[in-house]
Amino acid sequence: MSGPALALRALHLGRAAGDPLVLPGPWDAASAVAFEAAGFPALATPSAGIARSLGYEDGSTPADEMFAQVARIVRAVSVPVTADVEGGYGLAPKELVERVLETGAAGVNLEDSDGRGGLRDAHEHADLLAAVRAEAGDALFVNARVDVYLRDVPAPATAAVARSLRYAAAGADCVYPIAAPVADLPALRSGLGADLPLNFLARPDSPPFAELGRLGATRITFGPGLLLRTLDHVRALAEELRGA
């Protein structure tokens, strides 16, 4: 088993309810170094944040540029890094796994949006996850992003649980019903059982991390939120300099 993947997997297991794993999302090497220096044990790249930092719209970053930026982030730190590679860029599972491993990443996010504003068939996405798991073995921690809350699916919590359980059976280590509201966390945790790690997307108005953990979150990530907060500070600095 890969050392970084083993370390990342261990961070998700056996956590106390009020102690979720908090993974900041670096968009470049400098932000990654800052987060590591603050004491975080692992990092999770956000594809939307990297896109913004490279001058692309979310979802339009060329695969080569995404992998290159992930590799820069991994090289800059000593903690495990898990990489958001959106829907896999249309790569065959073997090539996708090879390219992720070439970056040095210890984990991967794969979403079940179809790139056209809808959702992939759950069976089809489970097959992709199973193929990625077969190619990667234990060398990657696989986080399956579940996009039902983004697609106006009826009874999204029920749909999220059904998809999540299917993805876990296919080999996902963790499930990520992105944009799930805080109010749905207990139902999600109940439906998933106690042992399947659950990733929650934190927002500026979210409750404290410990409360999110008690409600059912195993892992907290931020999407591009930390970059956006940083840009607010940059804009304020720019205004200050312009007025000087």
Side-chain angles (χ1 to χ4, degrees), residues 114-214:
D114 63 8
R116 302 183 299 276
L119 289 170
R120 285 178 176 163
D121 176 80
H123 297 274
E124 176 186 335
H125 193 63
D127 287 345
L128 171 62
L129 293 169
V132 167
R133 169 58 68 217
E135 292 291 342
D138 289 327
L140 287 176
F141 183 93
V142 177
N143 190 33
R145 202 181 94 175
V146 183
D147 287 4
V148 295
Y149 285 96
L150 301 179
R151 306 301 174 204
D152 297 321
V153 172
T158 300
V161 167
R163 282 181 174 253
S164 293
L165 292 174
R166 185 177 298 279
Y167 299 161
D173 296 286
C174 183
V175 293
Y176 180 18
I178 189 171
V182 173
D184 281 6
L185 270 174
L188 291 169
R189 172 48 65 205
S190 176
L192 297 175
D195 296 331
L196 180 58
L198 171 61
N199 191 154
F200 181 78
L201 175 67
R203 307 165 183 81
D205 60 352
S206 293
F209 301 145
E211 182 177 348
L212 292 172
R214 287 190 290 270

Side-chain angles (χ1 to χ4, degrees), residues 109 175 194 237:
N109 256 38
V175 293
L237 176 61

Side-chain angles (χ1 to χ4, degrees), residues 8-106:
L8 182 62
R9 188 169 286 110
L11 287 169
H12 290 77
L13 302 177
R15 304 196 69 88
D19 181 32
L21 176 62
V22 179
L23 299 181
W27 52 93
D28 61 11
S31 58
V33 169
F35 291 136
E36 181 185 29
F40 290 98
L43 306 173
T45 70
S47 61
I50 287 179
R52 183 76 173 265
S53 75
L54 295 177
Y56 293 103
E57 295 295 322
D58 184 20
S60 65
T61 309
D64 287 350
E65 295 198 43
M66 183 64 74
F67 289 124
Q69 190 74 333
V70 170
R72 294 183 192 103
I73 289 168
V74 172
R75 286 198 303 268
V77 296
S78 61
V79 297
V81 176
T82 180
D84 181 354
V85 295
E86 303 176 286
Y89 307 110
L91 299 174
K94 180 178 175 59
E95 182 179 0
L96 177 61
V97 168
E98 287 175 348
R99 297 202 65 180
V100 173
L101 290 175
E102 284 171 359
T103 70

